[in-house]
């Protein structure tokens, strides 16, 4: 069910949500969080689709903030809020409200979003593109327990990575880091099996890949070894090599969904290591809303803790 509202207010949007739930007989009590997506018109469709797919695992109210730029100087002085309210099958397992802001409303989107947040529920803000330099100081970011950015969406991802390191606050995370979860899990499991000291490390990837740089920094911080960066044709991270006193530990994924794991003195084995969809990445981030300490370690290259390779 869809309800279109033109030149509306947060109060009218809330009333439309109530009408929609009554019409389809769906209560709001089953939703566990509010997801706020701040995007542009170009990326709105894909972002909404990913959030709706993730909502099947985490039922949520999704608020999509799209800042519209008026074409004429006269129109830019007019403040307006348009909304599209989706409930039922049109919104995954939760509710979706697409908010299009014009004029001064765009500069105060937090005042529109605040009355629409689910009471006593966590708030997650996701910027698929054009994330603020300091997410925690953004008016919408300040409302959230979790702030999700994506360094793949910027022209200079490694420069963005350094900026994220300087501005990091508990609750920040990035999908470039989330993409590494299978790699980190496999590396930790491989070292548990090898039971040997790592003396060197190499990360192979396409050029300017933020996930590869995060992985290299994480290895340096956790293993206290210098990690070499090697550029390959990709796609994304293609291999990790850990030199040990007994031989080399290698996870190699040149292409496709399968990787080869090689351990000293053991036969090679094939493992599933596919590139995951955006909806899967978002669903993973919604499973835990506390501070991601390992992300901070990877960003800043902090000194390791007792466990040499926590994931």
């Amino acid at each position: 069910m869809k309800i279109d509202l033109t030149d509306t207010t947060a109060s009218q949007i809330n009333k439309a949500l109530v009408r929609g739930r009554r019409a389809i007989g769906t209560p709001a009590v089953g939703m566990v969080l509010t997801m706020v997506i701040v995007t542009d018109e170009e990326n709105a469709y894909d972002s909404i689709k990913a959030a709706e797919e993730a909502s099947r695992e985490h039922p949520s109210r999704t608020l999509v903030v799209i800042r519209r730029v008026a074409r004429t100087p006269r129109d830019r002085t007019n403040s307006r809020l348009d909304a599209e309210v989706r409930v039922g099958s049109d919104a995954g397992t939760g509710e979706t409200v697409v908010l299009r802001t014009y004029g001064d409303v765009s500069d105060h989107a937090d005042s529109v979003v605040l009355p629409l947040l689910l009471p006593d529920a966590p708030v997650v803000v996701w910027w698929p593109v054009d994330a603020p330099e300091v997410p925690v100081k953004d008016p919408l970011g300040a409302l959230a327990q979790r702030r999700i950015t994506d360094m793949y969406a910027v022209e200079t991802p490694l420069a963005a990575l350094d900026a994220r390191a300087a501005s990091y606050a508990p609750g920040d995370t990035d999908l470039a880091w989330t993409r590494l979860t299978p790699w980190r899990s496999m590396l930790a499991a491989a070292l548990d099996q090898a039971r040997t000291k790592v003396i060197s490390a190499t990360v192979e990837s396409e050029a300017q890949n933020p996930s590869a740089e995060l992985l290299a920094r994480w290895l340096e911080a956790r293993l206290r070894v210098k990690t070499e960066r090697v550029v390959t044709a990709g796609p994304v991270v293609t291999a990790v090599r850990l030199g040990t006193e007994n031989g080399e530990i290698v996870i190699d994924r040149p292409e496709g969904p399968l990787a080869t794991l090689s351990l000293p003195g053991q036969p090679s084995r094939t493992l599933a290591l596919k590139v995951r969809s955006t909806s899967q990445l978002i669903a993973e981030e919604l499973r835990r809303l506390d501070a991601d300490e390992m992300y901070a370690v990877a960003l800043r290259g902090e000194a390791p803790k007792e466990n040499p390779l926590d994931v």
Side-chain angles (χ1 to χ4, degrees):
M1 179 178 183
K2 295 183 180 180
I3 303 173
D4 291 322
L5 301 171
T6 303
D7 196 7
T8 188
T9 64
S11 175
Q12 292 173 338
I13 294 170
N14 265 320
K15 292 177 181 178
L17 284 168
V18 173
R19 291 200 308 271
R21 287 198 300 269
R22 287 176 176 171
I24 64 174
T26 302
V29 293
M31 290 180 284
V32 297
L33 58 88
T34 303
M35 164 78 83
V36 181
I37 303 174
V38 187
T39 186
D40 54 18
E41 201 70 64
E42 179 182 356
N43 295 278
Y45 175 82
D46 290 338
S47 303
I48 294 171
K49 183 178 179 182
E52 289 179 351
E53 290 176 358
S55 75
R56 302 186 189 282
E57 183 177 337
H58 309 276
S60 58
R61 173 177 290 178
T62 302
L63 306 177
V64 186
V65 179
I66 302 174
R67 295 184 171 98
R68 298 295 298 269
V69 178
R71 296 183 179 181
T72 65
R74 179 181 178 182
D75 290 339
R76 293 189 191 108
T77 62
N78 296 328
S79 297
R80 193 175 88 237
L81 171 66
D82 295 343
E84 180 183 321
V85 177
R86 306 177 185 178
V87 294
S89 59
D90 291 312
T93 59
E95 301 171 338
T96 299
V97 180
V98 182
L99 304 167
R100 291 182 171 87
T101 62
Y102 300 80
D104 290 341
V105 179
S106 297
D107 298 326
H108 304 282
D110 54 310
S111 63
V112 176
V113 167
L114 188 59
L116 300 176
L117 301 179
L118 290 172
D120 303 319
V123 178
V124 177
V125 177
W126 171 32
W127 293 271
V129 293
D130 299 328
E133 292 185 7
V134 185
V136 73
K137 292 185 178 180
D138 180 84
L140 289 172
L143 300 174
Q145 286 75 41
R146 194 73 156 181
R147 295 168 293 276
I148 305 172
T149 55
D150 192 353
M151 285 181 276
Y152 274 78
V154 301
E155 292 185 4
T156 55
L158 298 189
L161 193 155
D162 290 333
R164 293 280 178 267
S167 66
Y168 173 81
D172 290 354
T173 193
D174 195 280
L175 295 186
W177 175 246
T178 316
R179 292 181 179 96
L180 290 174
T181 300
W183 283 92
R184 294 185 291 126
S185 298
M186 288 186 182
L187 287 168
L191 283 177
D192 283 343
Q193 294 181 56
R195 296 291 181 181
T196 183
K197 180 177 176 58
V198 176
I199 56 178
S200 66
T202 301
V203 174
E204 301 179 4
S205 75
E206 62 188 4
Q208 294 290 310
N209 185 278
S211 292
E213 180 61 23
L214 284 169
L215 183 58
R217 294 187 185 190
W218 177 68
L219 290 171
E220 287 178 337
R222 306 309 291 171
L223 298 174
R224 297 187 180 183
V225 296
K226 179 65 177 177
T227 301
E228 183 181 0
R229 283 78 159 167
V230 175
V231 176
T232 65
V236 296
V237 180
T238 55
V240 176
R241 305 178 187 276
L242 303 179
T244 75
E245 298 169 339
N246 300 325
E248 195 173 51
I249 299 171
V250 180
I251 298 179
D252 186 25
R253 186 193 62 183
E255 60 182 353
L258 299 178
T260 301
L261 171 63
S262 302
L263 296 172
Q266 299 184 27
S268 298
R269 67 196 74 173
T270 301
L271 305 172
L273 192 60
K274 66 177 182 178
V275 176
R276 296 180 295 165
S277 66
T278 302
S279 62
Q280 291 173 318
L281 300 176
I282 292 297
E284 178 184 326
E285 284 301 329
L286 298 182
R287 289 182 198 130
R288 50 173 294 180
L289 301 180
D290 55 336
D292 191 339
E293 295 180 358
M294 287 301 104
Y295 174 57
V297 167
L299 278 176
R300 298 172 175 174
E302 294 173 342
K305 298 179 181 178
E306 294 296 328
N307 192 340
L309 204 58
D310 289 337
V311 296

